Amino acid sequence: MEPIKGFSKLSKEAKLQWLTTNNFEDSEEAQKVFRTYWHEDGDLQKKHDEFIENTMTNYFMPYGVAPNFEINGKLHTIPMAIEESSVVAAASKSASYWKERGGFKVEVISTEKIGHVHFMYEGDATPLFDNIHLLEEQLRVVTAELTANMESRGGGITSITLVDKRPQLAHYFQLEVCFETCDSMGANFINSNLEVMAGSLEQFAKDHVQLEANKLEVVMRILSNYTPHCIVKASVSCPIAQLESEGISATEFARKFKRAIDIANVEPYRATTHNKGIMNGIDAVVIATGNDFRAVEAACHTYASRSGKYKSLTHCTIDNDVFTFWIEIPLALGVVGGLTKLHPLVVKSLEMLGKPNARELMGIVAVSGLAQNFAALRALVTTGIQKGHMKMHLMNILTQLEATLEEKQEIAAFFKDKVPHHREVVNHFCAVRGVPIPTVKK
Ligand code: MEV
């Protein structure tokens, strides 16, 4: 295949032609598959095409809902966009379980976001520190126009600090700027402010005789996706006696459940999977509400390692026969800006959640992570996860085998109380259909 120049400037048709001719054995069949996922409503398709560059088609992802989430006394149906078969079922199960035991409680602890102008200064930095108040004043003046709107909504720049990072890296300094971005995630707002501030910092160095402007170099100006001052806590709690679980006493369940968290706190191999399960719930809601799940993932994992060791994002205590289980995580989310008004399903997700503000959405997302972790640990310390997981996966296997509805129903009934391992499903499917069992390739 030859490299192509100016690909992004081609029409969608021309791009698809080039793509399928140069990258597939059967270009016609490939084109057909890509086109199958185009939306028949041209305006809607155009909207999706314009989200990114070189859009060829849409990538469908299941959008499910988990009802019965009682959060701070209010019932919610939570939208989840995710392809993993057992996640929505697990969320729904946890929601019902905790609805019977007082529901979820949430509390937003902080909402501040951070950005930096990363710069090098090879001169004597004392005048810079001595004049920090003048610099701050100047930075506030040059950003006044940008921040006016946010200030009218109760947000804006909350602090500007000059940080000496030379112990970590020669000549390295930061302007560390904290922001309150109200109902928006704030990435554009923060980055725009930082870019203006960087220019102003350079000008400040030129205007002050004690500083050597030629020794100052701005390297980057960018928000940090690590938001340890934008924290939400979600929890559940009940007397141990109320913790019924399959085939295990309530006390035994509470003890083993806590052990599972103790293990995640000392064993990063387990903590990674433990937190991955939490992110199953978090990402699904973050995606359904049009937020940036990569940013949320990055922040949560950094937070999980803030002690210097990667640990569990959830915690558990057993005190005076009361079981308490909670999550505390950084979540920088928005309900305005970004995709929130553009993507029709995002609009519906937010409406389904009662048009939450950003703080309320933080709570809902944290609950979804906690619920997911509860379902995973509950299964892991009792029956194991394969029973529930494979049951959901059974339908995927049968769809792959192109089973009819009747065949699906018959086979699902057969596996009702068995773990449906792939080989056994294939064998049973062949028996039901009356076809020979395919030989397994060695
Ligand atoms: C699977 O996607 C997630 C789990 O592995 C999480 C866990 O082990 O805690 C079930």
Side-chain angles (χ1 to χ4, degrees):
M1 184 180 27
E2 292 295 310
I4 179 163
K5 271 207 172 117
F7 183 72
S8 67
K9 305 215 166 44
L10 299 179
S11 70
K12 188 172 171 185
E13 279 294 340
K15 282 176 190 162
L16 189 60
Q17 200 65 42
W18 178 89
L19 173 73
T20 51
T21 316
N22 289 282
N23 296 273
F24 296 90
E25 272 175 25
D26 184 343
S27 100
E28 244 174 67
E29 188 268 345
Q31 276 215 21
K32 203 171 138 209
V33 173
F34 282 108
R35 286 179 198 278
T36 301
Y37 290 91
W38 286 7
H39 203 286
E40 59 191 25
D41 176 341
D43 288 343
L44 187 62
Q45 185 55 57
K46 192 161 177 290
K47 201 179 243 189
H48 284 264
D49 287 353
E50 286 169 359
F51 286 155
I52 61 166
E53 191 170 82
N54 299 341
T55 305
M56 291 289 87
T57 190
N58 307 304
Y59 184 96
F60 282 8
M61 182 110 124
Y63 177 110
V65 298
N68 298 324
F69 270 98
E70 188 183 310
I71 304 175
N72 287 355
K74 198 170 150 201
L75 265 187
H76 290 274
T77 302
I78 298 190
M80 304 179 92
I82 187 150
E83 87 301 342
E84 191 172 323
S85 46
S86 54
V87 170
V88 176
S92 305
K93 227 170 152 180
S94 282
S96 300
Y97 187 96
W98 283 106
K99 195 168 76 55
E100 301 307 314
R101 293 163 178 80
F104 293 84
K105 303 276 178 293
V106 300
E107 180 194 348
V108 172
I109 292 168
S110 50
T111 55
E112 205 169 62
K113 286 137 195 174
I114 298 177
H116 298 99
V117 176
H118 301 272
F119 69 97
M120 305 314 218
Y121 186 59
E122 297 201 21
D124 173 12
T126 318
L128 203 50
F129 280 94
D130 287 349
N131 289 294
I132 183 61
H133 296 301
L134 282 179
L135 175 61
E136 177 172 351
E137 215 174 285
Q138 178 174 312
L139 295 175
R140 286 188 183 274
V141 169
V142 292
T143 52
E145 218 177 289
L146 275 176
T147 56
N149 201 5
M150 192 63 87
E151 276 169 13
S152 72
R153 288 189 269 142
I157 296 167
T158 52
S159 68
I160 301 174
T161 316
L162 177 62
V163 189
D164 187 351
K165 299 295 281 186
R166 286 174 298 182
Q168 284 85 28
L169 181 66
H171 315 303
Y172 176 31
F173 296 86
Q174 296 173 340
L175 278 179
E176 181 168 275
V177 189
C178 295
F179 298 86
E180 176 54 64
T181 62
C182 305
D183 275 341
S184 68
M185 188 263 194
N188 281 332
F189 173 71
I190 295 174
N191 289 334
S192 301
N193 274 286
L194 292 171
E195 292 195 1
V196 169
M197 286 180 174
S200 179
L201 169 69
E202 286 168 333
Q203 191 58 47
F204 188 82
K206 283 183 193 143
D207 295 345
H208 284 76
V209 281
Q210 310 105 304
L211 291 168
E212 297 171 273
N214 58 343
K215 293 190 174 169
L216 185 145
E217 182 192 28
V218 170
V219 182
M220 296 176 285
R221 47 270 203 262
I222 183 77
L223 92 167
S224 173
N225 285 121
Y226 184 40
T227 53
H229 306 300
C230 186
I231 299 287
V232 60
K233 181 178 170 185
S235 62
V236 286
S237 186
C238 73
I240 287 182
Q242 289 177 13
L243 284 176
E244 306 125 33
S245 245
E246 287 174 59
I248 182 169
S249 78
T251 318
E252 176 86 344
F253 172 69
R255 199 181 53 76
K256 279 185 94 174
F257 192 98
K258 185 175 177 316
R259 280 262 184 266
I261 294 181
D262 294 342
I263 290 171
N265 276 328
V266 298
E267 173 51 81
Y269 278 100
R270 177 55 207 151
T272 306
T273 318
H274 177 100
N275 289 344
K276 185 272 180 188
I278 293 171
M279 301 317 288
N280 278 345
I282 290 180
D283 286 348
V285 188
V286 170
I287 293 171
T289 56
N291 275 280
D292 180 346
F293 68 95
R294 286 85 54 207
V296 167
E297 283 272 350
C300 284
H301 295 299
T302 310
Y303 196 67
S305 25
R306 68 195 183 285
S307 66
K309 198 163 173 200
Y310 188 81
K311 291 184 174 184
S312 167
L313 287 167
T314 52
H315 314 274
C316 176
T317 54
I318 299 173
D319 277 332
N320 296 324
D321 291 335
V322 173
F323 171 87
T324 305
F325 174 50
W326 75 98
I327 189 167
E328 194 198 280
I329 40 168
L331 281 178
L333 302 176
V335 294
V336 297
L339 275 193
T340 52
K341 296 269 177 313
L342 284 178
H343 197 303
L345 279 174
V346 169
V347 175
K348 285 291 156 248
S349 295
L350 293 171
E351 192 180 334
M352 187 188 308
L353 291 170
K355 300 193 179 155
N357 61 28
R359 297 169 70 95
E360 288 162 340
L361 185 60
M362 285 167 78
I364 292 164
V365 171
V367 161
S368 171
L370 186 71
Q372 206 59 226
N373 190 229
F374 181 76
L377 296 189
R378 184 173 180 224
L380 284 169
V381 301
T382 56
T383 55
I385 59 155
Q386 283 310 84
K387 200 170 150 211
H389 203 75
M390 294 303 284
K391 217 168 246 172
M392 297 301 296
H393 192 53
L394 172 64
M395 283 304 143
N396 288 347
I397 302 174
L398 292 175
T399 302
Q400 240 173 42
L401 292 169
E402 297 181 3
T404 62
L405 183 63
E406 290 73 31
E407 286 168 341
K408 279 183 177 168
Q409 282 166 347
E410 184 176 342
I411 297 165
F414 176 81
F415 282 102
K416 194 167 173 287
D417 41 22
K418 302 177 190 65
V419 176
H421 295 297
H422 190 271
R423 192 70 237 157
E424 283 151 29
V425 175
V426 174
N427 291 355
H428 193 68
F429 167 78
C430 291
V432 168
R433 191 168 269 198
V435 294
I437 294 171
T439 45
V440 183
K441 278 189 207 134
K442 294 255 157 117

